[in-house]
Amino acid sequence: MIKKLAGVAVACMALSAIFTLESSSAAISSNEINMAGIGLILDTVVENNIQNAVATPAPTEVVVPTEAPVAGDASVPADPNAVPADPNAAPPVPEVTPEPVSKFANLGISIAPEYVHVRKKPSTDSKILGKLYRGSAARILKTKGDWVAIKSGQVTGYIKSEYLAMGFDAEKLVDKYGTKIATVTVTTLKVREEKNTECAVLTLVPEGEEFEVVKECDEWAKILVDDTTRGYVSKEYIKIKYDFKRAISREQEREKLRRQREREEAIRRAEEEERRRQQAAAAAAAANRNNSSKNHSSSSSHSSSVPKVTYTSAGTAASAASYAKHFVGNPYVYGGTSLTNGTDCSGFVQSVYRKYGVSLPRTSSSQASAGSSVSLGNVKPGDLIFYASNGHVNHVAMYIGNGQVVHASNRRDGIKISNMRYRTPCSARRVAN
């Protein structure tokens, strides 16, 4: 019996460590305890406490926000669940900020004193394919040591990198050596006097025509149409690009020299023909004076001057148109009349026709009244085509056939061939047959 009581006591002590006995259990009377029934009483008490412990829900844990522990703070206890760092793991890759890239990264501009040879291979002993003159541009294909593979115009080869500005260095030279060109992207575009849609329209230009951009604004670009016409066009209807001079191949250089010699020879022949014509005209005038002096005794016949001769024989207009094309590429000079050293638009047609004995006024507005009127749909080579802004003629060109004109355009292009409708023509005149 004693052993049984000792066992019960041990069981009670074990249960008291897990459960909190209700006060009612503590108040059990000693009279109720007997050696035979103490096990039943304790079993009942234990069963009741177990039921209470299961039935009572655990209190909800309330998490109070606290400041995050500071890394490296010794007062912060180590997280027992933390995974130790792997000593063999690769170190974290640092974030790399990409280097800025020039928008002209593939552009190279020659900075040679005059020109640099473009060679077939990256060697100064290699064959020369062409020349890249100072300020001319090339597309960079690749670099190979101190050499750069480039493509410019019809030339593809290598040049020494020391003669080429690239990337941001080239970007600094773009405005110096490049020209902004606007290409018309609509069927017909209005060129306006000011940068708004309420002002006067100076002229109309067709799709595909290209003009130099002399100024850019937010939504407008000012373009150079020809020597006397500049106006604004909406950027919405143009595409702007940079234009550069390009490399010239050895074949192109030889062809250029050949054409130059042909042009000089044509000019020489035309001048020789003009000299002979003038001599013949002077001789005829002298003969007329002699005949007049024989038939008339009046003094007035002896004081007459050599008359101005107008050379209008058949084929003059076509010959003038052919002759005019020899001067393509020569410079434009405002107020000039030299076909080789520089002329403006009216000086150009005046000087061309002068070689054939046709006298024309000096300005385009005056020339617009010379000869006879002809419809724009019935023009022939040699006819003069006129252009106007705000109703006033301000440019003249010579028709050369196939819908084209030759004219002294502007300082950038010089004497050039254009589509007759590169801007809207207003009239045409025939000054020779």
Side-chain angles (χ1 to χ4, degrees):
M1 181 64 68
I2 294 174
K3 290 181 179 181
K4 186 177 180 179
L5 289 174
V8 171
V10 171
C12 289
M13 292 178 63
L15 289 173
S16 66
I18 302 172
F19 304 103
T20 304
L21 298 178
E22 296 179 353
S23 58
S24 59
S25 64
I28 297 175
S29 171
S30 59
N31 294 329
E32 293 177 324
I33 301 175
N34 55 55
M35 299 302 291
I38 189 169
L40 177 61
I41 296 172
L42 289 175
D43 290 341
T44 302
V45 172
V46 170
E47 182 179 352
N48 289 337
N49 278 281
I50 291 174
Q51 291 175 354
N52 290 335
V54 172
T56 304
T60 302
E61 182 180 4
V62 178
V63 180
V64 180
T66 60
E67 293 186 2
V70 180
D73 189 346
S75 64
V76 179
D79 185 356
N81 297 320
V83 179
D86 183 358
N88 298 321
V93 179
E95 184 178 352
V96 179
T97 303
E99 294 185 3
V101 178
S102 170
K103 59 182 179 180
F104 296 100
N106 295 326
L107 176 72
I109 298 178
S110 172
I111 53 175
E114 183 179 358
Y115 64 82
V116 57
H117 284 128
V118 182
R119 298 182 180 273
K120 187 175 182 179
K121 296 180 180 180
S123 168
T124 54
D125 296 327
S126 181
K127 180 181 178 180
I128 296 174
L129 302 177
K131 296 177 180 177
L132 189 69
Y133 283 84
R134 182 178 181 86
S136 298
R139 180 163 60 91
I140 297 173
L141 303 178
K142 64 179 180 179
T143 58
K144 188 172 183 179
D146 295 334
W147 292 81
V148 180
I150 60 100
K151 179 175 178 57
S152 180
Q154 299 180 15
V155 184
T156 301
Y158 290 87
I159 64 174
K160 293 292 290 289
S161 60
E162 63 186 280
Y163 298 114
L164 201 65
M166 297 176 285
F168 286 108
D169 290 333
E171 195 169 330
K172 297 174 184 177
L173 301 176
V174 164
D175 289 328
K176 180 177 181 180
Y177 294 115
T179 302
K180 286 183 181 179
I181 301 296
T183 303
V184 180
T185 59
V186 291
T187 303
T188 304
L189 180 60
K190 296 176 180 179
V191 181
R192 296 186 176 274
E193 191 172 27
E194 301 292 340
K195 48 188 175 184
N196 62 71
T197 57
E198 306 300 324
C199 64
V201 175
L202 298 178
T203 189
L204 303 175
V205 293
E207 184 176 8
E209 283 295 322
E210 296 183 344
F211 302 94
E212 179 182 353
V213 177
V214 295
K215 183 180 180 181
E216 275 195 79
C217 307
D218 292 337
E219 298 177 354
W220 297 82
K222 190 174 186 179
I223 63 171
L224 177 63
V225 180
D226 49 41
D227 58 343
T228 58
T229 304
R230 299 185 181 199
Y232 291 90
V233 293
S234 171
K235 282 186 174 181
E236 184 179 356
Y237 306 114
I238 60 173
K239 184 171 70 174
I240 297 178
K241 65 179 181 181
Y242 275 93
D243 187 36
F244 295 89
K245 292 181 179 179
R246 297 174 175 84
I248 181 171
S249 68
R250 300 190 73 178
E251 293 77 9
Q252 288 175 310
E253 191 170 38
R254 286 192 290 266
E255 178 65 14
K256 182 179 179 180
L257 292 174
R258 185 186 66 79
R259 290 181 179 180
Q260 179 66 27
R261 288 193 296 268
E262 287 182 352
R263 183 163 55 243
E264 292 172 352
E265 178 61 21
I267 293 171
R268 187 194 65 77
R269 288 197 305 266
E271 290 176 344
E272 179 63 23
E273 290 174 2
E274 173 65 11
R275 185 182 64 80
R276 289 197 299 265
R277 187 197 63 78
Q278 289 180 350
Q279 288 176 346
N288 288 336
R289 285 198 302 272
N290 291 334
N291 291 334
S292 177
S293 63
K294 291 178 181 179
N295 297 327
H296 304 281
S297 58
S298 62
S299 59
S300 59
S301 62
H302 296 283
S303 61
S304 62
S305 59
V306 177
K308 181 177 290 186
V309 178
T310 301
Y311 187 72
T312 57
S313 63
T316 296
S319 296
S322 178
Y323 176 64
K325 290 188 288 185
H326 288 291
F327 302 98
V328 170
N330 285 353
Y332 171 93
V333 174
Y334 181 76
T337 58
S338 172
L339 297 173
T340 53
N341 296 324
T343 181
D344 58 19
C345 66
S346 56
F348 175 66
V349 298
Q350 183 191 52
S351 297
V352 167
Y353 267 117
R354 183 186 295 125
K355 298 297 182 184
Y356 295 89
V358 178
S359 179
L360 293 175
R362 177 62 185 88
T363 65
S364 60
S365 58
S366 298
Q367 291 171 356
S369 300
S372 58
S373 177
V374 59
S375 68
L376 290 169
N378 195 36
V379 291
K380 296 179 179 180
D383 288 345
L384 302 185
I385 310 298
F386 295 92
Y387 305 85
S389 295
N390 292 330
H392 301 287
V393 171
N394 60 4
H395 191 68
V396 61
M398 183 182 294
Y399 187 70
I400 57 174
N402 298 320
Q404 295 182 314
V405 294
V406 60
H407 59 138
S409 179
N410 53 58
R411 287 188 299 274
R412 172 179 174 266
D413 298 325
I415 299 173
K416 64 182 289 189
I417 293 175
S418 301
N419 185 309
M420 185 182 84
R421 298 183 182 276
Y422 79 96
R423 58 180 287 200
T424 304
C426 64
S427 64
R429 307 291 292 188
R430 185 162 293 161
V431 297
N433 296 322

